[in-house]
């Protein structure tokens, strides 16, 4: 498991942090939700590279 910060994940897929934040909190069931990990306070967000890749593939469909 390779965990990235929100900024690292955004840089990797060439998107803004805002787009990834919105993807983490999607409420529309027809859209894929980006899985993430956070500290109990919610201040530190980490995204697994496998989850990021799966989300990108789901968005392509």
């Amino acid at each position: 498991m390779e965990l990235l910060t929100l900024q690292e994940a955004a840089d990797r897929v060439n998107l803004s942090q805002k787009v990834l934040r919105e993807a983490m909190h999607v409420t529309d069931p027809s859209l894929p939700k980006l899985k993430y990990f956070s500290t109990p306070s919610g201040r530190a967000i980490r995204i697994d590279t496998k989850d990021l890749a799966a989300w990108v593939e789901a968005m392509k469909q």
Side-chain angles (χ1 to χ4, degrees):
M1 177 186 307
E2 179 187 357
L3 296 177
L4 305 171
T5 65
L6 187 58
Q7 183 60 55
E8 291 168 338
D11 290 345
R12 187 166 289 194
V13 294
N14 201 27
L15 293 170
S16 70
Q17 286 187 35
K18 181 181 179 194
V19 170
L20 294 185
R21 282 186 190 278
E22 290 172 356
M24 291 186 290
H25 303 291
V26 145
T27 56
D28 184 343
S30 67
L31 295 173
K33 190 170 187 175
L34 178 58
K35 295 179 184 176
Y36 67 98
F37 302 94
S38 69
T39 59
S41 67
R43 291 180 156 252
I45 294 172
R46 299 292 182 263
I47 301 168
D48 189 346
T49 54
K50 291 176 186 171
D51 292 333
L52 183 62
W55 177 78
V56 168
E57 285 303 313
M59 288 300 289
K60 289 180 181 179
Q61 296 178 359

